[in-house]
Amino acid sequence: PLVGLSFEGSNANTPRGITEAAFRTNSYLGSDVSKYRTGIRNYSRIGLSHLYPGIDVEFYASGEEIEHDFNVAPGANAGLISLRLNGTKSARLNAQGDIVMPAEAGELRFKKPVAYQIDAAGKQVEIAAAFVLDGRRSDSQRLRFRLGAYDHSRRLVIDPVIVYATFAGGGAGSSSPSRRRR
């Protein structure tokens, strides 16, 4: 099944490039030379600003995983973050705190979120974080975060990681997932 992700109740806007990649792309589609494009910029990190009041999100690859960091400004309400998992009604929370859902030839997994702040000494302080899966509809489910106590006067980062695990191997019961942990 095709699974999509949307930001429920957000002010979704045009993505912006944050970190430019070291390479450029050229596009030579069709026979109309006037439509050819060269030197197209690529980015290794992109973002959406003001997704929710005081909350931005950045997307980037880390090895074979896709990460997205929610950057919550001091005083902003992290409880506004709500993701809609479209195209699935069978997402589930596993014993490790990951969200797991079937996908074509494998599974899509959101690893248990990591949340942290930087304290006055510049040290990263982990904040307890977990997924809350609710709001079932016929073809979607809502995903939110439950956070432990944190300093609302400091920036908070919530970092869930997306992993696509494929299954390889023989018959029923002998398949094993192929994935990396961070």
Side-chain angles (χ1 to χ4, degrees), residues 15-66:
R16 62 181 165 77
I18 296 172
T19 305
E20 193 169 331
F23 60 91
R24 302 282 174 120
T25 302
N26 300 316
S27 173
Y28 304 109
L29 295 176
S31 59
D32 184 351
V33 176
S34 69
K35 293 184 180 179
Y36 291 176
R37 295 182 60 206
T38 60
I40 301 167
R41 290 185 178 143
N42 294 276
Y43 294 89
S44 59
R45 184 180 288 257
I46 61 169
L48 296 170
S49 298
H50 312 294
L51 189 64
Y52 300 98
I55 302 172
D56 298 339
V57 66
E58 295 181 5
F59 299 89
Y60 55 97
S62 178
E64 294 180 2
E65 301 170 337
I66 300 170

mmCIF file of all heavy atoms in Angstrom, residues 15-66:
data_model
loop_
_atom_site.group_PDB
_atom_site.id
_atom_site.type_symbol
_atom_site.label_atom_id
_atom_site.label_comp_id
_atom_site.label_asym_id
_atom_site.label_seq_id
_atom_site.Cartn_x
_atom_site.Cartn_y
_atom_site.Cartn_z
ATOM 1 N N PRO A 15 8.805 24.178 0.472
ATOM 2 C CA PRO A 15 10.089 23.769 1.056
ATOM 3 C C PRO A 15 11.206 24.741 0.661
ATOM 4 O O PRO A 15 11.179 25.326 -0.417
ATOM 5 C CB PRO A 15 10.349 22.395 0.429
ATOM 6 C CG PRO A 15 9.037 21.929 -0.075
ATOM 7 C CD PRO A 15 8.252 23.164 -0.406
ATOM 8 N N ARG A 16 12.161 24.893 1.546
ATOM 9 C CA ARG A 16 13.322 25.749 1.264
ATOM 10 C C ARG A 16 14.583 24.926 1.426
ATOM 11 O O ARG A 16 14.663 24.054 2.288
ATOM 12 C CB ARG A 16 13.340 26.966 2.185
ATOM 13 C CG ARG A 16 13.467 26.607 3.643
ATOM 14 C CD ARG A 16 13.464 27.826 4.564
ATOM 15 N NE ARG A 16 13.238 27.431 5.939
ATOM 16 C CZ ARG A 16 14.146 26.882 6.723
ATOM 17 N NH1 ARG A 16 15.360 26.667 6.291
ATOM 18 N NH2 ARG A 16 13.861 26.539 7.971
ATOM 19 N N GLY A 17 15.553 25.194 0.577
ATOM 20 C CA GLY A 17 16.837 24.524 0.701
ATOM 21 C C GLY A 17 17.602 25.091 1.884
ATOM 22 O O GLY A 17 17.624 26.303 2.082
ATOM 23 N N ILE A 18 18.213 24.217 2.659
ATOM 24 C CA ILE A 18 18.992 24.658 3.817
ATOM 25 C C ILE A 18 20.475 24.415 3.575
ATOM 26 O O ILE A 18 21.279 25.327 3.663
ATOM 27 C CB ILE A 18 18.529 23.931 5.101
ATOM 28 C CG1 ILE A 18 17.075 24.305 5.413
ATOM 29 C CG2 ILE A 18 19.448 24.273 6.275
ATOM 30 C CD1 ILE A 18 16.456 23.508 6.530
ATOM 31 N N THR A 19 20.833 23.173 3.258
ATOM 32 C CA THR A 19 22.233 22.825 3.014
ATOM 33 C C THR A 19 22.366 22.381 1.565
ATOM 34 O O THR A 19 21.809 21.361 1.168
ATOM 35 C CB THR A 19 22.690 21.687 3.949
ATOM 36 O OG1 THR A 19 22.436 22.072 5.295
ATOM 37 C CG2 THR A 19 24.166 21.391 3.757
ATOM 38 N N GLU A 20 23.097 23.169 0.798
ATOM 39 C CA GLU A 20 23.264 22.839 -0.617
ATOM 40 C C GLU A 20 24.226 21.662 -0.772
ATOM 41 O O GLU A 20 25.261 21.602 -0.119
ATOM 42 C CB GLU A 20 23.783 24.055 -1.380
ATOM 43 C CG GLU A 20 23.689 23.877 -2.870
ATOM 44 C CD GLU A 20 23.952 25.164 -3.648
ATOM 45 O OE1 GLU A 20 23.687 26.270 -3.133
ATOM 46 O OE2 GLU A 20 24.422 25.043 -4.795
ATOM 47 N N ALA A 21 23.853 20.737 -1.644
ATOM 48 C CA ALA A 21 24.707 19.586 -1.938
ATOM 49 C C ALA A 21 25.868 20.024 -2.824
ATOM 50 O O ALA A 21 25.813 21.078 -3.472
ATOM 51 C CB ALA A 21 23.901 18.491 -2.619
ATOM 52 N N ALA A 22 26.903 19.219 -2.879
ATOM 53 C CA ALA A 22 28.116 19.552 -3.624
ATOM 54 C C ALA A 22 27.973 19.326 -5.124
ATOM 55 O O ALA A 22 28.924 19.549 -5.867
ATOM 56 C CB ALA A 22 29.283 18.729 -3.083
ATOM 57 N N PHE A 23 26.821 18.888 -5.591
ATOM 58 C CA PHE A 23 26.655 18.597 -7.010
ATOM 59 C C PHE A 23 25.439 19.325 -7.570
ATOM 60 O O PHE A 23 24.582 19.798 -6.821
ATOM 61 C CB PHE A 23 26.509 17.086 -7.242
ATOM 62 C CG PHE A 23 25.330 16.484 -6.540
ATOM 63 C CD1 PHE A 23 24.094 16.386 -7.178
ATOM 64 C CD2 PHE A 23 25.437 16.016 -5.239
ATOM 65 C CE1 PHE A 23 23.002 15.843 -6.519
ATOM 66 C CE2 PHE A 23 24.352 15.470 -4.575
ATOM 67 C CZ PHE A 23 23.129 15.383 -5.216
ATOM 68 N N ARG A 24 25.394 19.428 -8.881
ATOM 69 C CA ARG A 24 24.267 20.030 -9.602
ATOM 70 C C ARG A 24 23.687 18.986 -10.539
ATOM 71 O O ARG A 24 24.343 18.004 -10.882
ATOM 72 C CB ARG A 24 24.714 21.247 -10.420
ATOM 73 C CG ARG A 24 25.381 22.362 -9.632
ATOM 74 C CD ARG A 24 24.350 23.188 -8.909
ATOM 75 N NE ARG A 24 24.944 24.171 -8.030
ATOM 76 C CZ ARG A 24 24.770 25.469 -8.132
ATOM 77 N NH1 ARG A 24 24.005 25.946 -9.089
ATOM 78 N NH2 ARG A 24 25.323 26.293 -7.276
ATOM 79 N N THR A 25 22.450 19.196 -10.957
ATOM 80 C CA THR A 25 21.763 18.268 -11.851
ATOM 81 C C THR A 25 21.424 18.975 -13.149
ATOM 82 O O THR A 25 21.146 20.175 -13.157
ATOM 83 C CB THR A 25 20.456 17.762 -11.186
ATOM 84 O OG1 THR A 25 20.789 17.134 -9.954
ATOM 85 C CG2 THR A 25 19.716 16.792 -12.075
ATOM 86 N N ASN A 26 21.450 18.223 -14.235
ATOM 87 C CA ASN A 26 21.035 18.736 -15.538
ATOM 88 C C ASN A 26 19.825 17.932 -15.989
ATOM 89 O O ASN A 26 19.723 16.741 -15.726
ATOM 90 C CB ASN A 26 22.163 18.598 -16.563
ATOM 91 C CG ASN A 26 23.395 19.367 -16.134
ATOM 92 O OD1 ASN A 26 23.313 20.496 -15.682
ATOM 93 N ND2 ASN A 26 24.548 18.741 -16.273
ATOM 94 N N SER A 27 18.892 18.585 -16.679
ATOM 95 C CA SER A 27 17.684 17.921 -17.166
ATOM 96 C C SER A 27 17.561 18.138 -18.669
ATOM 97 O O SER A 27 17.460 19.277 -19.127
ATOM 98 C CB SER A 27 16.460 18.502 -16.443
ATOM 99 O OG SER A 27 15.271 17.992 -17.000
ATOM 100 N N TYR A 28 17.589 17.048 -19.422
ATOM 101 C CA TYR A 28 17.484 17.091 -20.880
ATOM 102 C C TYR A 28 16.316 16.213 -21.316
ATOM 103 O O TYR A 28 16.493 15.200 -21.974
ATOM 104 C CB TYR A 28 18.776 16.596 -21.535
ATOM 105 C CG TYR A 28 20.008 17.345 -21.087
ATOM 106 C CD1 TYR A 28 20.947 16.741 -20.263
ATOM 107 C CD2 TYR A 28 20.235 18.654 -21.489
ATOM 108 C CE1 TYR A 28 22.085 17.420 -19.853
ATOM 109 C CE2 TYR A 28 21.361 19.345 -21.083
ATOM 110 C CZ TYR A 28 22.280 18.718 -20.267
ATOM 111 O OH TYR A 28 23.404 19.393 -19.865
ATOM 112 N N LEU A 29 15.108 16.578 -20.920
ATOM 113 C CA LEU A 29 13.936 15.793 -21.261
ATOM 114 C C LEU A 29 13.325 16.282 -22.574
ATOM 115 O O LEU A 29 13.142 17.477 -22.772
ATOM 116 C CB LEU A 29 12.890 15.869 -20.142
ATOM 117 C CG LEU A 29 13.312 15.251 -18.803
ATOM 118 C CD1 LEU A 29 12.242 15.482 -17.752
ATOM 119 C CD2 LEU A 29 13.581 13.768 -18.965
ATOM 120 N N GLY A 30 13.021 15.349 -23.441
ATOM 121 C CA GLY A 30 12.380 15.698 -24.711
ATOM 122 C C GLY A 30 13.356 16.237 -25.730
ATOM 123 O O GLY A 30 14.568 16.305 -25.519
ATOM 124 N N SER A 31 12.805 16.656 -26.845
ATOM 125 C CA SER A 31 13.651 17.149 -27.937
ATOM 126 C C SER A 31 13.666 18.669 -28.040
ATOM 127 O O SER A 31 14.393 19.231 -28.851
ATOM 128 C CB SER A 31 13.169 16.547 -29.268
ATOM 129 O OG SER A 31 11.814 16.902 -29.491
ATOM 130 N N ASP A 32 12.890 19.360 -27.206
ATOM 131 C CA ASP A 32 12.842 20.823 -27.218
ATOM 132 C C ASP A 32 13.982 21.373 -26.367
ATOM 133 O O ASP A 32 13.920 21.394 -25.140
ATOM 134 C CB ASP A 32 11.494 21.302 -26.688
ATOM 135 C CG ASP A 32 11.326 22.812 -26.760
ATOM 136 O OD1 ASP A 32 12.311 23.529 -27.067
ATOM 137 O OD2 ASP A 32 10.202 23.277 -26.487
ATOM 138 N N VAL A 33 15.048 21.828 -27.036
ATOM 139 C CA VAL A 33 16.249 22.309 -26.365
ATOM 140 C C VAL A 33 15.940 23.483 -25.438
ATOM 141 O O VAL A 33 16.595 23.655 -24.405
ATOM 142 C CB VAL A 33 17.325 22.700 -27.407
ATOM 143 C CG1 VAL A 33 18.552 23.297 -26.754
ATOM 144 C CG2 VAL A 33 17.696 21.496 -28.254
ATOM 145 N N SER A 34 14.913 24.281 -25.726
ATOM 146 C CA SER A 34 14.589 25.438 -24.883
ATOM 147 C C SER A 34 14.097 25.016 -23.496
ATOM 148 O O SER A 34 14.090 25.818 -22.569
ATOM 149 C CB SER A 34 13.532 26.317 -25.562
ATOM 150 O OG SER A 34 12.280 25.658 -25.605
ATOM 151 N N LYS A 35 13.702 23.745 -23.355
ATOM 152 C CA LYS A 35 13.225 23.250 -22.058
ATOM 153 C C LYS A 35 14.320 22.550 -21.265
ATOM 154 O O LYS A 35 14.092 22.116 -20.146
ATOM 155 C CB LYS A 35 12.037 22.310 -22.258
ATOM 156 C CG LYS A 35 10.807 23.039 -22.785
ATOM 157 C CD LYS A 35 9.627 22.119 -22.887
ATOM 158 C CE LYS A 35 8.425 22.890 -23.422
ATOM 159 N NZ LYS A 35 7.264 22.031 -23.570
ATOM 160 N N TYR A 36 15.506 22.427 -21.826
ATOM 161 C CA TYR A 36 16.620 21.819 -21.110
ATOM 162 C C TYR A 36 17.031 22.740 -19.961
ATOM 163 O O TYR A 36 17.029 23.963 -20.097
ATOM 164 C CB TYR A 36 17.821 21.600 -22.026
ATOM 165 C CG TYR A 36 17.636 20.542 -23.094
ATOM 166 C CD1 TYR A 36 18.637 20.324 -24.028
ATOM 167 C CD2 TYR A 36 16.490 19.771 -23.186
ATOM 168 C CE1 TYR A 36 18.502 19.357 -25.016
ATOM 169 C CE2 TYR A 36 16.340 18.809 -24.165
ATOM 170 C CZ TYR A 36 17.349 18.615 -25.082
ATOM 171 O OH TYR A 36 17.204 17.664 -26.056
ATOM 172 N N ARG A 37 17.413 22.158 -18.839
ATOM 173 C CA ARG A 37 17.863 22.931 -17.678
ATOM 174 C C ARG A 37 19.203 22.373 -17.219
ATOM 175 O O ARG A 37 19.382 21.166 -17.147
ATOM 176 C CB ARG A 37 16.843 22.850 -16.552
ATOM 177 C CG ARG A 37 15.507 23.513 -16.943
ATOM 178 C CD ARG A 37 14.496 23.496 -15.827
ATOM 179 N NE ARG A 37 15.002 24.214 -14.667
ATOM 180 C CZ ARG A 37 14.607 23.979 -13.426
ATOM 181 N NH1 ARG A 37 13.725 23.051 -13.186
ATOM 182 N NH2 ARG A 37 15.112 24.660 -12.431
ATOM 183 N N THR A 38 20.113 23.260 -16.917
ATOM 184 C CA THR A 38 21.430 22.835 -16.432
ATOM 185 C C THR A 38 21.747 23.546 -15.122
ATOM 186 O O THR A 38 21.199 24.610 -14.825
ATOM 187 C CB THR A 38 22.533 23.151 -17.456
ATOM 188 O OG1 THR A 38 22.560 24.559 -17.672
ATOM 189 C CG2 THR A 38 22.294 22.426 -18.774
ATOM 190 N N GLY A 39 22.608 22.932 -14.339
ATOM 191 C CA GLY A 39 23.063 23.550 -13.096
ATOM 192 C C GLY A 39 21.988 23.661 -12.023
ATOM 193 O O GLY A 39 22.014 24.579 -11.203
ATOM 194 N N ILE A 40 21.054 22.728 -11.994
ATOM 195 C CA ILE A 40 19.971 22.767 -11.000
ATOM 196 C C ILE A 40 20.547 22.442 -9.628
ATOM 197 O O ILE A 40 21.242 21.443 -9.459
ATOM 198 C CB ILE A 40 18.863 21.751 -11.365
ATOM 199 C CG1 ILE A 40 18.295 22.061 -12.745
ATOM 200 C CG2 ILE A 40 17.768 21.751 -10.295
ATOM 201 C CD1 ILE A 40 17.423 20.940 -13.313
ATOM 202 N N ARG A 41 20.284 23.298 -8.659
ATOM 203 C CA ARG A 41 20.793 23.087 -7.300
ATOM 204 C C ARG A 41 20.112 21.890 -6.642
ATOM 205 O O ARG A 41 18.929 21.653 -6.838
ATOM 206 C CB ARG A 41 20.549 24.327 -6.447
ATOM 207 C CG ARG A 41 21.401 25.478 -6.832
ATOM 208 C CD ARG A 41 21.206 26.622 -5.874
ATOM 209 N NE ARG A 41 22.098 27.683 -6.267
ATOM 210 C CZ ARG A 41 21.808 28.958 -6.208
ATOM 211 N NH1 ARG A 41 20.658 29.352 -5.728
ATOM 212 N NH2 ARG A 41 22.681 29.850 -6.597
ATOM 213 N N ASN A 42 20.866 21.171 -5.835
ATOM 214 C CA ASN A 42 20.365 20.062 -5.032
ATOM 215 C C ASN A 42 20.685 20.374 -3.579
ATOM 216 O O ASN A 42 21.648 21.082 -3.287
ATOM 217 C CB ASN A 42 21.053 18.755 -5.435
ATOM 218 C CG ASN A 42 20.694 18.345 -6.841
ATOM 219 O OD1 ASN A 42 19.673 17.725 -7.048
ATOM 220 N ND2 ASN A 42 21.522 18.696 -7.814
ATOM 221 N N TYR A 43 19.896 19.818 -2.687
ATOM 222 C CA TYR A 43 20.082 20.094 -1.268
ATOM 223 C C TYR A 43 20.117 18.794 -0.481
ATOM 224 O O TYR A 43 19.360 17.869 -0.750
ATOM 225 C CB TYR A 43 18.956 20.990 -0.739
ATOM 226 C CG TYR A 43 18.996 22.359 -1.356
ATOM 227 C CD1 TYR A 43 18.328 22.636 -2.541
ATOM 228 C CD2 TYR A 43 19.749 23.373 -0.781
ATOM 229 C CE1 TYR A 43 18.395 23.888 -3.125
ATOM 230 C CE2 TYR A 43 19.829 24.629 -1.360
ATOM 231 C CZ TYR A 43 19.150 24.875 -2.533
ATOM 232 O OH TYR A 43 19.234 26.113 -3.109
ATOM 233 N N SER A 44 20.987 18.745 0.512
ATOM 234 C CA SER A 44 21.054 17.579 1.388
ATOM 235 C C SER A 44 20.164 17.763 2.616
ATOM 236 O O SER A 44 19.926 16.819 3.356
ATOM 237 C CB SER A 44 22.496 17.318 1.822
ATOM 238 O OG SER A 44 23.014 18.437 2.498
ATOM 239 N N ARG A 45 19.677 18.977 2.818
ATOM 240 C CA ARG A 45 18.764 19.282 3.921
ATOM 241 C C ARG A 45 17.775 20.337 3.424
ATOM 242 O O ARG A 45 18.189 21.348 2.875
ATOM 243 C CB ARG A 45 19.542 19.808 5.124
ATOM 244 C CG ARG A 45 18.688 20.067 6.354
ATOM 245 C CD ARG A 45 19.530 20.585 7.519
ATOM 246 N NE ARG A 45 20.378 19.559 8.086
ATOM 247 C CZ ARG A 45 20.121 18.920 9.229
ATOM 248 N NH1 ARG A 45 19.045 19.200 9.922
ATOM 249 N NH2 ARG A 45 20.946 18.001 9.679
ATOM 250 N N ILE A 46 16.480 20.029 3.602
ATOM 251 C CA ILE A 46 15.434 20.989 3.230
ATOM 252 C C ILE A 46 14.537 21.211 4.441
ATOM 253 O O ILE A 46 14.543 20.425 5.387
ATOM 254 C CB ILE A 46 14.596 20.513 2.020
ATOM 255 C CG1 ILE A 46 13.893 19.196 2.331
ATOM 256 C CG2 ILE A 46 15.457 20.409 0.770
ATOM 257 C CD1 ILE A 46 12.863 18.792 1.306
ATOM 258 N N GLY A 47 13.744 22.277 4.417
ATOM 259 C CA GLY A 47 12.895 22.553 5.571
ATOM 260 C C GLY A 47 11.606 23.247 5.204
ATOM 261 O O GLY A 47 11.432 23.757 4.090
ATOM 262 N N LEU A 48 10.701 23.237 6.154
ATOM 263 C CA LEU A 48 9.448 23.978 6.092
ATOM 264 C C LEU A 48 9.441 24.909 7.296
ATOM 265 O O LEU A 48 9.537 24.456 8.441
ATOM 266 C CB LEU A 48 8.242 23.043 6.158
ATOM 267 C CG LEU A 48 8.070 22.060 5.014
ATOM 268 C CD1 LEU A 48 6.978 21.035 5.337
ATOM 269 C CD2 LEU A 48 7.725 22.800 3.728
ATOM 270 N N SER A 49 9.338 26.211 7.033
ATOM 271 C CA SER A 49 9.327 27.197 8.115
ATOM 272 C C SER A 49 7.904 27.417 8.594
ATOM 273 O O SER A 49 6.953 27.356 7.815
ATOM 274 C CB SER A 49 9.888 28.534 7.618
ATOM 275 O OG SER A 49 11.222 28.373 7.211
ATOM 276 N N HIS A 50 7.764 27.686 9.882
ATOM 277 C CA HIS A 50 6.471 28.044 10.482
ATOM 278 C C HIS A 50 5.395 27.003 10.187
ATOM 279 O O HIS A 50 4.255 27.345 9.883
ATOM 280 C CB HIS A 50 6.027 29.435 10.028
ATOM 281 C CG HIS A 50 7.093 30.458 10.132
ATOM 282 N ND1 HIS A 50 7.628 30.867 11.342
ATOM 283 C CD2 HIS A 50 7.787 31.130 9.184
ATOM 284 C CE1 HIS A 50 8.572 31.755 11.120
ATOM 285 N NE2 HIS A 50 8.694 31.936 9.835
ATOM 286 N N LEU A 51 5.774 25.725 10.267
ATOM 287 C CA LEU A 51 4.820 24.643 10.050
ATOM 288 C C LEU A 51 3.653 24.794 11.015
ATOM 289 O O LEU A 51 2.490 24.658 10.644
ATOM 290 C CB LEU A 51 5.522 23.300 10.261
ATOM 291 C CG LEU A 51 4.765 22.056 9.891
ATOM 292 C CD1 LEU A 51 4.472 22.017 8.398
ATOM 293 C CD2 LEU A 51 5.544 20.820 10.299
ATOM 294 N N TYR A 52 3.982 25.079 12.262
ATOM 295 C CA TYR A 52 3.036 25.457 13.314
ATOM 296 C C TYR A 52 3.656 26.693 13.964
ATOM 297 O O TYR A 52 4.849 26.936 13.817
ATOM 298 C CB TYR A 52 2.885 24.338 14.346
ATOM 299 C CG TYR A 52 2.381 23.030 13.769
ATOM 300 C CD1 TYR A 52 3.267 22.013 13.437
ATOM 301 C CD2 TYR A 52 1.021 22.817 13.556
ATOM 302 C CE1 TYR A 52 2.812 20.816 12.910
ATOM 303 C CE2 TYR A 52 0.559 21.621 13.025
ATOM 304 C CZ TYR A 52 1.459 20.632 12.697
ATOM 305 O OH TYR A 52 1.009 19.447 12.171
ATOM 306 N N PRO A 53 2.879 27.488 14.694
ATOM 307 C CA PRO A 53 3.476 28.686 15.314
ATOM 308 C C PRO A 53 4.706 28.331 16.165
ATOM 309 O O PRO A 53 4.626 27.520 17.093
ATOM 310 C CB PRO A 53 2.338 29.231 16.179
ATOM 311 C CG PRO A 53 1.084 28.751 15.504
ATOM 312 C CD PRO A 53 1.444 27.380 14.963
ATOM 313 N N GLY A 54 5.854 28.888 15.771
ATOM 314 C CA GLY A 54 7.099 28.651 16.494
ATOM 315 C C GLY A 54 7.740 27.301 16.234
ATOM 316 O O GLY A 54 8.682 26.926 16.932
ATOM 317 N N ILE A 55 7.243 26.552 15.243
ATOM 318 C CA ILE A 55 7.769 25.213 14.967
ATOM 319 C C ILE A 55 8.122 25.076 13.489
ATOM 320 O O ILE A 55 7.277 25.281 12.620
ATOM 321 C CB ILE A 55 6.751 24.117 15.355
ATOM 322 C CG1 ILE A 55 6.397 24.231 16.836
ATOM 323 C CG2 ILE A 55 7.309 22.730 15.025
ATOM 324 C CD1 ILE A 55 5.272 23.326 17.291
ATOM 325 N N ASP A 56 9.386 24.741 13.226
ATOM 326 C CA ASP A 56 9.876 24.463 11.881
ATOM 327 C C ASP A 56 10.202 22.977 11.813
ATOM 328 O O ASP A 56 10.378 22.318 12.838
ATOM 329 C CB ASP A 56 11.163 25.243 11.580
ATOM 330 C CG ASP A 56 10.973 26.752 11.623
ATOM 331 O OD1 ASP A 56 9.834 27.224 11.493
ATOM 332 O OD2 ASP A 56 11.989 27.450 11.793
ATOM 333 N N VAL A 57 10.331 22.447 10.594
ATOM 334 C CA VAL A 57 10.756 21.062 10.426
ATOM 335 C C VAL A 57 11.836 21.025 9.347
ATOM 336 O O VAL A 57 11.779 21.784 8.374
ATOM 337 C CB VAL A 57 9.569 20.117 10.089
ATOM 338 C CG1 VAL A 57 8.963 20.432 8.738
ATOM 339 C CG2 VAL A 57 9.986 18.649 10.158
ATOM 340 N N GLU A 58 12.841 20.179 9.544
ATOM 341 C CA GLU A 58 13.914 19.981 8.574
ATOM 342 C C GLU A 58 13.990 18.503 8.227
ATOM 343 O O GLU A 58 13.845 17.653 9.111
ATOM 344 C CB GLU A 58 15.261 20.438 9.138
ATOM 345 C CG GLU A 58 15.324 21.921 9.401
ATOM 346 C CD GLU A 58 16.669 22.370 9.928
ATOM 347 O OE1 GLU A 58 17.616 21.547 10.004
ATOM 348 O OE2 GLU A 58 16.785 23.556 10.281
ATOM 349 N N PHE A 59 14.224 18.199 6.938
ATOM 350 C CA PHE A 59 14.332 16.830 6.443
ATOM 351 C C PHE A 59 15.736 16.607 5.896
ATOM 352 O O PHE A 59 16.274 17.470 5.205
ATOM 353 C CB PHE A 59 13.337 16.587 5.301
ATOM 354 C CG PHE A 59 11.907 16.761 5.695
ATOM 355 C CD1 PHE A 59 11.293 17.992 5.597
ATOM 356 C CD2 PHE A 59 11.170 15.680 6.156
ATOM 357 C CE1 PHE A 59 9.970 18.157 5.950
ATOM 358 C CE2 PHE A 59 9.845 15.831 6.511
ATOM 359 C CZ PHE A 59 9.239 17.075 6.416
ATOM 360 N N TYR A 60 16.296 15.426 6.166
ATOM 361 C CA TYR A 60 17.614 15.098 5.645
ATOM 362 C C TYR A 60 17.819 13.592 5.706
ATOM 363 O O TYR A 60 17.149 12.891 6.467
ATOM 364 C CB TYR A 60 18.719 15.823 6.430
ATOM 365 C CG TYR A 60 18.698 15.579 7.915
ATOM 366 C CD1 TYR A 60 19.521 14.620 8.487
ATOM 367 C CD2 TYR A 60 17.844 16.306 8.741
ATOM 368 C CE1 TYR A 60 19.494 14.396 9.854
ATOM 369 C CE2 TYR A 60 17.813 16.085 10.103
ATOM 370 C CZ TYR A 60 18.638 15.132 10.651
ATOM 371 O OH TYR A 60 18.606 14.893 12.003
ATOM 372 N N ALA A 61 18.732 13.096 4.902
ATOM 373 C CA ALA A 61 19.070 11.677 4.898
ATOM 374 C C ALA A 61 20.244 11.455 5.832
ATOM 375 O O ALA A 61 21.142 12.288 5.937
ATOM 376 C CB ALA A 61 19.417 11.207 3.494
ATOM 377 N N SER A 62 20.211 10.317 6.510
ATOM 378 C CA SER A 62 21.309 9.909 7.373
ATOM 379 C C SER A 62 21.557 8.439 7.065
ATOM 380 O O SER A 62 20.829 7.571 7.535
ATOM 381 C CB SER A 62 20.933 10.104 8.846
ATOM 382 O OG SER A 62 21.976 9.666 9.681
ATOM 383 N N GLY A 63 22.541 8.162 6.210
ATOM 384 C CA GLY A 63 22.738 6.800 5.722
ATOM 385 C C GLY A 63 21.542 6.410 4.874
ATOM 386 O O GLY A 63 21.174 7.129 3.954
ATOM 387 N N GLU A 64 20.902 5.304 5.220
ATOM 388 C CA GLU A 64 19.726 4.854 4.482
ATOM 389 C C GLU A 64 18.423 5.266 5.160
ATOM 390 O O GLU A 64 17.358 4.795 4.791
ATOM 391 C CB GLU A 64 19.778 3.333 4.322
ATOM 392 C CG GLU A 64 20.930 2.881 3.453
ATOM 393 C CD GLU A 64 20.990 1.370 3.301
ATOM 394 O OE1 GLU A 64 20.113 0.665 3.836
ATOM 395 O OE2 GLU A 64 21.918 0.905 2.642
ATOM 396 N N GLU A 65 18.501 6.120 6.151
ATOM 397 C CA GLU A 65 17.326 6.557 6.891
ATOM 398 C C GLU A 65 16.974 7.990 6.534
ATOM 399 O O GLU A 65 17.829 8.766 6.130
ATOM 400 C CB GLU A 65 17.584 6.437 8.395
ATOM 401 C CG GLU A 65 17.911 5.021 8.813
ATOM 402 C CD GLU A 65 18.397 4.910 10.247
ATOM 403 O OE1 GLU A 65 18.894 5.901 10.802
ATOM 404 O OE2 GLU A 65 18.273 3.821 10.797
ATOM 405 N N ILE A 66 15.705 8.316 6.703
ATOM 406 C CA ILE A 66 15.234 9.683 6.489
ATOM 407 C C ILE A 66 14.908 10.251 7.860
ATOM 408 O O ILE A 66 14.147 9.662 8.617
ATOM 409 C CB ILE A 66 13.983 9.720 5.598
ATOM 410 C CG1 ILE A 66 14.290 9.105 4.241
ATOM 411 C CG2 ILE A 66 13.487 11.157 5.458
ATOM 412 C CD1 ILE A 66 13.060 8.891 3.385
#
